[in-house]
């Protein structure tokens, strides 16, 4: 019987095809891209980012960086080259450039026809109204006479908004009275900024319904959260929203999932909501990317919003969105009016000595007044202890930004 040899015959070794992970490219080099890269690592991937500069938050941590502008078509082509999908950490890419990329075969997620609803407030309002979603009364404003007419129709105070470009309170002005509204609108229009007006809603609080949708059409929803705003910037998030009736929370989740489907969203969608004094929910804004109201998911959910966004844009099955604790509180770390002399490393030392359960996420950003430089998460086992948990989160975030304990705690006492 002839023996069979297990040895390879003489000659060159056949090439083995590398096991390449999919490549996700993200426009924007901020903290959302940074945290998306963290999630990509666990999936065996490296996130490619288009950053304005090499010292931007995400550019500090990923080795695959394209330096350029989101308003330059060639830079967008460079970051998209060879990628399986192009996605975003902000919505400011001109739609006409995205249309060109799609025509060239780039897989853009969310697609331009969906993203426009997060870029243009008037387009968003009109589409949501057509879909039967509750929104504040609104009108396009092309002259102060139109503004006056709108104010008369609603018989109440108005909000004047830039139709494009505003976020974190930018481009949104609350008018004190009709004369003030005219001044705001006149200023916007004189600068060539398209303007709309809305009624001022009598708020009980603000909420956010965060969902994700894949190209296959699968959807997933996290618990609805309460967001606390100060000067137009989110300072704290509580998950789930305390005191929100179960049927109302379910209706908000269903609405967000329906909007994601109707608009053709691919990836994470945040539906920011107003809860008015009557308990009704109205849609305020949409964001089609990971969102500040979802940072709690990094420690408080089985699947973070950043991993979920990657799963969605790659058309993977979506992850479990169940909460890991009865309550999670997230507090943003905002730059102090004056940067403390104490270095961040020492601030972390003292924080962890006092609050070893604090889950800190810093963004590698220079500290400037009011700038989001990080966030901290706290998980609570007892919803009845929510007030104390919120206070701890507030203390921790203030300490990290100011190097001062608001309650006078002395680490050496």
């Amino acid at each position: 019987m002839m023996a069979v040899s297990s040895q390879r015959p003489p000659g060159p070794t056949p090439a083995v095809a590398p096991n390449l992970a999919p490549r996700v490219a993200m426009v924007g080099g901020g903290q959302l891209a940074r945290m998306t890269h963290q999630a990509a690592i666990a999936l065996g991937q490296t996130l490619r980012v288009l950053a304005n500069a090499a010292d931007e938050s995400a550019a500090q941590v990923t080795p695959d960086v394209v330096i350029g502008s989101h308003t330059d078509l060639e830079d967008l082509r460079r970051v998209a080259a060879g990628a399986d999908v192009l996605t975003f950490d902000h919505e400011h890419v001109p739609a006409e450039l995205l249309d060109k990329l799609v025509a060239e075969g780039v897989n853009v997620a969310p697609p331009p026809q969906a993203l426009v609803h997060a870029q243009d407030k008037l387009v968003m309002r009109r589409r949501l109204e057509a879909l039967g979603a509750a929104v504040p009364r609104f009108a396009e404003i092309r002259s102060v006479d139109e503004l006056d007419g709108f104010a008369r129709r609603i018989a109440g105070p108005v909000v004047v908004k830039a139709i494009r470009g505003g976020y974190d309170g930018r481009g949104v002005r609350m008018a004190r009275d009709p004369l003030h509204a005219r001044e705001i609108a006149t200023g916007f229009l004189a600068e060539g900024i398209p303007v709309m007006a809305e009624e001022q809603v009598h708020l009980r609080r603000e909420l956010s319904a965060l969902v994700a949708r894949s190209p296959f059409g699968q959807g997933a929803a996290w618990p609805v959260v309460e967001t606390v705003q100060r000067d137009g910037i989110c300072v704290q998030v509580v998950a789930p929203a305390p005191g929100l009736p179960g049927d109302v929370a379910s209706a908000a989740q269903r609405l967000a999932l329906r909007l994601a489907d109707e608009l053709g969203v691919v990836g994470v969608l945040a539906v920011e909501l107003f809860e008015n004094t009557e308990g009704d929910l109205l849609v305020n804004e949409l964001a089609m990317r990971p969102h500040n109201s979802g940072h709690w998911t990094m420690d408080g959910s089985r699947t973070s919003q950043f991993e979920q966004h990657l799963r969605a844009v790659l058309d993977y099955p979506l992850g479990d969105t169940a909460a890991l604790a009865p309550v999670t509180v997230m507090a943003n770390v905002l730059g102090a009016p004056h940067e403390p002399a104490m270095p961040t490393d020492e601030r972390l030392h003292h924080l962890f000595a006092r609050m070893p359960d604090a889950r800190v996420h810093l963004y590698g950003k220079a500290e400037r007044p009011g700038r989001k430089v990080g966030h901290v998460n706290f998980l609570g086992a007892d919803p009845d202890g929510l007030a104390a948990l919120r206070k701890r989160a507030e203390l921790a975030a203030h300490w990290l930004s100011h190097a001062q304990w608001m309650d006078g705690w002395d680490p050496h006492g």
Side-chain angles (χ1 to χ4, degrees):
M1 180 181 293
M2 182 181 294
V4 178
S5 172
S6 62
Q7 300 294 319
R8 290 185 180 276
T13 302
V16 177
N19 182 17
L20 296 178
R23 174 75 67 194
V24 178
M26 181 169 271
V27 177
Q31 65 263 25
L32 300 180
R34 181 187 180 104
M35 291 182 278
T36 304
H37 174 62
Q38 289 176 253
I41 292 171
L43 302 180
Q45 301 171 17
T46 297
L47 187 73
R48 178 187 295 161
V49 300
L50 177 64
N52 290 316
D55 63 350
E56 283 196 318
S57 186
Q60 297 172 22
V61 296
T62 178
D64 195 353
V65 182
V66 174
I67 304 299
S69 170
H70 63 272
T71 61
D72 186 288
L73 180 58
E74 290 306 315
D75 290 342
L76 292 168
R77 285 172 171 152
R78 286 195 296 138
V79 76
D84 293 80
V85 61
L86 179 72
T87 188
F88 310 93
D89 97 334
H90 63 74
E91 294 101 341
H92 305 311
V93 183
E96 60 270 19
L97 300 187
L98 294 178
D99 288 336
K100 290 181 180 179
L101 293 179
V102 171
E104 294 169 5
V106 176
N107 177 20
V108 176
Q113 63 270 25
L115 189 64
V116 67
H117 297 92
Q119 296 174 319
D120 189 302
K121 294 179 176 63
L122 187 61
V123 168
M124 179 265 292
R125 281 281 180 264
R126 287 170 171 165
R127 183 68 186 282
L128 294 191
E129 188 176 56
L131 291 173
V135 297
R137 288 176 290 177
F138 68 94
E140 181 180 9
I141 302 300
R142 288 159 293 196
S143 69
V144 291
D145 289 338
E146 290 184 339
L147 178 63
D148 290 342
F150 175 73
R152 285 193 298 270
R153 285 197 305 277
I154 67 168
V158 302
V159 183
V160 182
K161 294 185 174 183
I163 288 174
R164 285 180 169 263
Y167 68 99
D168 278 351
R170 298 176 179 88
V172 177
R173 303 284 302 278
M174 306 286 286
R176 298 184 300 270
D177 51 49
L179 180 59
H180 188 217
R182 287 174 65 96
E183 292 173 357
I184 297 167
T186 298
F188 278 142
L189 294 171
E191 295 179 28
I193 298 173
V195 173
M196 63 181 291
E198 293 182 356
E199 64 176 327
Q200 289 189 24
V201 176
H202 297 293
L203 276 180
R204 176 181 293 169
R205 58 179 171 174
E206 296 188 48
L207 305 170
S208 178
L210 194 74
V211 300
R213 180 180 179 274
S214 71
F216 180 72
Q218 183 186 11
W222 286 271
V224 177
V225 303
E226 178 179 345
T227 65
V228 180
Q229 315 292 320
R230 185 183 303 141
D231 298 326
I233 298 176
C234 178
V235 295
Q236 195 174 95
V237 172
V238 181
L244 187 67
D247 59 336
V248 177
S250 296
Q253 290 175 312
R254 290 195 301 271
L255 171 65
L257 288 168
R258 181 170 73 87
L259 294 180
D261 188 58
E262 294 278 5
L263 301 179
V265 174
V266 174
V268 166
L269 169 69
V271 180
E272 299 179 52
L273 299 162
F274 290 143
E275 182 182 15
N276 66 18
T277 52
E278 286 75 41
D280 301 320
L281 300 187
L282 297 88
V283 178
N284 176 29
E285 303 279 359
L286 301 179
M288 296 183 189
R289 51 172 169 77
H291 190 255
N292 197 188
S293 67
H295 289 353
W296 71 274
T297 64
M298 296 179 75
D299 302 296
S301 173
R302 293 190 184 278
T303 307
S304 80
Q305 65 166 340
F306 300 101
E307 179 183 333
Q308 195 81 296
H309 188 72
L310 290 170
R311 289 194 189 205
V313 300
L314 290 168
D315 211 7
Y316 291 171
L318 299 182
D320 185 354
T321 54
L324 294 175
V327 62
T328 301
V329 177
M330 185 282 296
N332 278 321
V333 180
L334 305 176
H338 304 284
E339 184 177 349
M342 183 185 293
T344 302
D345 176 66
E346 189 174 350
R347 283 177 253 167
L348 284 170
H349 180 100
H350 287 294
L351 174 67
F352 290 144
R354 183 180 184 185
M355 301 177 178
D357 59 325
R359 304 294 299 172
V360 177
H361 303 271
L362 299 178
Y363 307 152
K365 296 166 69 172
E367 297 179 58
R368 295 201 297 265
R371 189 185 199 191
K372 293 176 184 174
V373 296
H375 70 272
V376 57
N377 287 330
F378 285 88
L379 277 63
D382 183 3
D384 292 336
L386 175 58
L389 197 68
R390 295 181 76 161
K391 185 62 178 176
R392 294 182 74 226
E394 181 184 18
L395 287 170
H398 189 272
W399 166 257
L400 285 172
S401 59
H402 292 72
Q404 296 174 348
W405 289 109
M406 296 171 64
D407 60 353
W409 186 75
D410 180 4
H412 305 293

